[in-house]
Amino acid sequence: MTGIRLTAPAPGWSLDADVVVVGSGVAGLTTALRCAAAGLATVVVTKARLDDGSTRWAQGGIAAALGEGDTPEQHLDDTLVAGAGLCDEAAVRTLVTEGPDAVRRLIGTGAHFDTTESGDIALTREGGHHRRRIAHAGGDATGAEISRALVGAVREAALHTIENALVLDLLTDAEGRTAGVTLHVMGEGQHDGVGAVRAPAVVLATGGMGQVFSATTNPAVSTGDGVALALRAGAEVSDLEFVQFHPTVLFLGAGAEGQQPLVSEAVRGEGAHLVDASGTRFMVGQHELAELAPRDIVAKAITRQMELHGTEHMYLDARHFGAEMWEQRFPTILAACRAHDIDPVTEPIPVAPAAHYASGGIRTDLRGRTTVPGLYACGEAACTGVHGANRLASNSLLEGLVFAERIAADIVEDRPRAGDPEAGASGASSPLLAAEAGAPHTHSPRLAAEAGAPGEPSPLIAPEARSTIQRIMTRGAGVLRSAESLATAADALEALHNSAALAVEADEPKVAVPGVEAWEVTNLLLVSRVLVAAARRREETRGCHWREDRPERDDENWRRHLVVRLTPERRPVLRRTETEAFGPVRPAQAPDCAAAPPTHPADVTEEP
């Protein structure tokens, strides 16, 4: 264990459960429903309301081989091509073979997808797919419908939910096994302030980290909390350098920051064209699928055109759809455009790439298990090996479904019980939870720092640094990257990190005060540092990692995964896998920092 934790008050209250699921998107709620159905006491923790995660914003749909003539094998082929040589084929095969039935079970939960006149599920195409295999709901409101159905099922099942709660750190027992989480409830519900949910199984389904960039399609809650928690707890993360920038995000002006309206890839799937200011299509001839090429290719093409013309956006032209198609097929996008005084029925839509999806995350096996026993990850917070270097459009909702069911099955089969000898029940009571000494659990949960590791609380970053981090990341680690831009970003991020540490050591009055905003920004800085460290190390262009100074793909040296963990001194440690295979996920060992030779980033260590 690393021994790193956030600076926070001791928990003032606690709950006991068999499993705690952090996150309320498709991954989290599916896991929770399956666990509860098997009789496990399940608690769902979510940062805002149950329906406020990234799932509800998904417009395009969910990909699965549901149509006549389509097969899982064809879906697998498209996914592998999009992943640019880094997909784990076993994970992809799991996704595409189990996916169709998982979608049908989602329908059984109450989700309603759009259908044809004959009653079959209506399917469309998106970038990288050679078949029409994207199921959608409400035209372009698929995520909202899935969220509605799952939230309804959770409420009907009367699951214990804690809303408006930011997860802080992992609790472990004396053997280093997961024993729950600490969290802060933001003045809502029956619990307020910092508390703990004690459970021998924790599932992180906390979504993405899009808020590390100035412009993103992600909601404000996507601050990388799950990945940061996992890193502090000693878990490995992988492929964090592969951040997918959605090619077609509504351009709101050069100074626009925060969540930006998405113009779904399904619009191009129905025949919209990418054009420059003169109306000339520029994707024809660049890829066999033209506008429906994989997202990394389209994003790069748009960026090249912007540089060529000296402009800040290109255009998506779908005027030929007509008013009726816009109103019926894409009502959400139509309303968003018109809210910003753009009418796609009569004019092209200004678009530009923006941060959209983290293909990497907390490293897991095919059952969602991380390198920390008892800790699982699912959805965008996880790295299962499915997405490789670039996620295939609409595979994310399917990944959340399939691997959520696998996680639940593993927890139900294992039925971990804190206090069992194999779960590590030895040890004295944790001082953090001394008030709970009479509680039914006989294990001794504690923060990672109390499990014998030498670490200390991580200095908090002041809330006002949030926009600074976002600007650093956008300039240095955005769509276009280079050794110079990444080095500049790394230096600036380290300066923020070191400044906070020095302020704590000097006991300065300007030290950030524990609270939601400071915790979020501290998480953002941590995941940004790790992302930049990995991007500096990967000296090639692959998928959605685009190095201007290394424009070619280098399979001989870089058809490999980069795996990162933290030392107790909060320094990233990188290792490169020996082959493109994702490799086994085993319990993490404490890094031998003294023996690890330094690589060119001064703040990063690389294992031999």
Side-chain angles (χ1 to χ4, degrees), residues 22-26 28-29 44-46 49-53 55 147 151 205:
V22 186
S24 60
V26 62
L29 295 188
V44 176
V45 175
T46 185
R49 298 190 307 274
L50 278 181
D51 62 352
D52 267 351
T55 291
S147 181
V151 169

Side-chain angles (χ1 to χ4, degrees), residues 481 483 535-536 538 540-541 545-551:
R481 301 168 177 176
R536 291 183 78 183
R538 181 170 291 280
E540 64 159 355
T541 288
H545 173 66
W546 188 6
R547 287 279 297 261
E548 293 179 284
D549 56 325
R550 301 279 183 168

Side-chain angles (χ1 to χ4, degrees), residues 474-528:
T474 299
R475 286 195 300 263
V479 178
L480 297 176
R481 301 168 177 176
S482 67
E484 182 179 358
S485 76
L486 290 165
T488 300
D491 289 345
L493 294 172
E494 286 308 302
L496 287 173
H497 173 74
N498 294 333
S499 176
L502 289 172
V504 171
E505 290 177 9
D507 196 23
E508 295 181 6
K510 65 178 182 180
V511 171
V513 177
V516 172
E517 292 182 344
W519 290 322
E520 283 187 333
V521 175
T522 302
N523 287 339
L524 285 173
L525 180 59
L526 174 56
V527 296
S528 295

Side-chain angles (χ1 to χ4, degrees), residues 42-93:
T42 305
V43 173
V44 176
V45 175
T46 185
K47 195 172 179 181
R49 298 190 307 274
L50 278 181
D51 62 352
D52 267 351
S54 293
T55 291
R56 67 177 279 213
W57 297 101
Q59 295 174 343
I62 184 167
L66 297 164
E68 184 177 354
D70 196 7
T71 64
E73 199 69 25
Q74 294 176 68
H75 190 182
L76 180 141
D77 289 343
D78 286 344
T79 301
L80 295 180
V81 169
L86 279 186
C87 294
D88 180 74
E89 187 167 339
V92 178
R93 194 170 294 280

